[in-house]
């Protein structure tokens, strides 16, 4: 084994951090952020992409304010639209930079990352959160700046987390055999896909409500043995 690939939500980080801190933060600051930065090209592009979706899906031409309302609706319905993801990344960046948000990382994670690095392993992240969101969580985390520990970040640009092909793509990009990679996640279906691609798997079961599959199980990172 040469490489450890970890999921974020439910694995390094509590699920409630995403749903009770990050999403509400982006919702609360969305309108004011767009107003404050409306002349920025990235913000303009996000609004244009949102308007284009409204036109295509609802045959409706909408203005900036309505685009904001639609983006807020997408947060509520957990729609993973690229424009929303981009905008949330920008809003969170401001929150992390000001210290208003700190990325939650469980206490048992840092000692394990250190031990794995010392053992000569390479570490990476695969999350449905964007690469930018991953950078932010780990750079401004409750355990300090953990970003230097990770050599690679993957998001759904390589494919969805429950698809076998995504894990093959990751192994391909890393130029490693899948059997050299250990994948850590809380979600059975993701581990099933990684296993089918040839990776080793361990399921993190941090909470009682996790649906346990046929993989090795660890309650936290201190229990991960290989
Ligand atoms: Mg997860």
């Amino acid at each position: 084994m040469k490489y450890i690939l970890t999921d974020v939500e439910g694995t390094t980080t509590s699920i409630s951090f995403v749903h009770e801190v990050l999403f509400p933060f982006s919702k609360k600051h969305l309108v004011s952020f767009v107003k404050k930065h409306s002349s920025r090209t990235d913000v303009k592009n996000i609004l244009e992409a949102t308007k284009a979706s409204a036109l295509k899906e609802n045959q409706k031409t909408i203005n900036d304010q309505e685009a904001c309302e639609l983006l807020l609706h997408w947060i509520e319905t957990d729609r993973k639209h690229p424009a929303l993801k981009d905008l949330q990344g920008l809003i969170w960046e401001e929150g992390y930079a000001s210290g208003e948000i700190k990325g939650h990382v469980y206490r048992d994670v840092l000692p394990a990352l250190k031990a794995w690095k010392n053992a000569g392993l390479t570490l990476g992240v695969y999350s449905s959160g964007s690469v930018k969101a991953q950078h932010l969580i780990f750079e401004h985390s409750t355990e300090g700046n953990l970003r230097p520990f990770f050599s690679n970040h993957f998001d759904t640009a390589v494919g969805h987390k429950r698809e076998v092909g995504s894990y093959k793509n990751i192994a391909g990009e890393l130029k490693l055999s899948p059997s050299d990679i250990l994948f850590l996640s809380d979600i059975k279906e993701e581990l099933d896909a990684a296993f089918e691609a040839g990776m080793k798997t361990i399921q993190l079961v941090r909470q009682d409500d996790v649906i346990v599959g046929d993989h090795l199980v660890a309650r936290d990172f201190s229990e991960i043995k290989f």
Side-chain angles (χ1 to χ4, degrees):
M1 234 227 347
K2 295 177 181 164
Y3 196 100
I4 298 183
L5 181 69
T6 183
D7 163 56
V8 177
E9 202 180 324
T11 301
T12 60
T13 298
S14 72
I15 293 172
S16 62
F17 170 69
V18 177
H19 291 277
E20 289 164 25
V21 178
L22 283 186
F23 285 141
F25 187 89
S26 61
K27 204 169 151 183
K28 184 176 158 200
H29 295 278
L30 190 143
V31 173
S32 59
F33 183 92
V34 169
K35 266 198 188 127
K36 188 170 144 198
H37 298 293
S38 59
S39 60
R40 267 169 57 170
T41 312
D42 49 6
V43 175
K44 276 186 189 163
N45 289 343
I46 286 164
L47 289 176
E48 286 316 310
T50 305
K51 290 174 185 176
S53 280
L55 186 61
K56 194 173 162 208
E57 293 167 20
N58 309 319
Q59 292 76 49
K60 248 177 97 179
T61 303
I62 59 173
N63 61 27
D64 284 4
Q65 193 195 325
E66 288 164 325
C68 284
E69 284 163 15
L70 182 57
L71 285 157
L72 287 169
H73 175 69
W74 287 346
I75 294 178
E76 274 163 27
T77 52
D78 202 21
R79 168 132 180 219
K80 315 270 186 215
H81 192 289
L84 176 61
K85 279 199 169 188
D86 289 349
L87 181 59
Q88 285 176 313
L90 298 176
I91 297 170
W92 291 330
E93 189 171 33
E94 230 179 49
Y96 282 112
S98 71
E100 259 188 279
I101 318 176
K102 279 218 179 298
H104 173 263
V105 172
Y106 287 110
R107 297 293 301 273
D108 48 271
V109 171
L110 176 57
L113 298 182
K114 281 183 181 164
W116 297 339
K117 281 300 254 189
N118 287 338
L121 294 162
T122 309
L123 312 178
V125 177
Y126 179 33
S127 166
S128 52
S130 67
V131 167
K132 187 188 181 75
Q134 297 173 25
H135 287 166
L136 290 168
I137 282 188
F138 289 113
E139 189 168 331
H140 307 275
S141 94
T142 50
E143 300 300 303
N145 180 7
L146 305 186
R147 224 182 122 179
F149 284 96
F150 298 108
S151 303
N152 313 87
H153 289 265
F154 300 96
D155 60 19
T156 50
V158 295
H160 287 281
K161 294 190 75 189
R162 299 181 184 206
E163 289 166 10
V164 180
S166 310
Y167 299 87
K168 290 184 177 166
N169 289 343
I170 288 173
E173 284 200 26
L174 296 173
K175 298 189 170 57
L176 287 172
S177 155
S179 62
D180 284 328
I181 303 170
L182 168 66
F183 178 56
L184 309 174
S185 173
D186 58 321
I187 304 291
K188 174 189 170 299
E189 290 82 357
E190 297 175 7
L191 294 158
D192 290 345
F195 186 81
E196 209 181 314
M199 289 187 186
K200 295 185 169 61
T201 51
I202 293 180
Q203 184 171 24
L204 271 294
V205 182
R206 292 188 179 272
Q207 288 176 313
D208 295 337
D209 57 359
V210 171
I211 297 160
V212 179
D214 304 321
H215 305 271
L216 291 173
V217 161
R219 273 174 299 181
D220 62 44
F221 273 35
S222 74
E223 287 192 357
I224 295 171
K225 301 277 180 280
F226 42 82

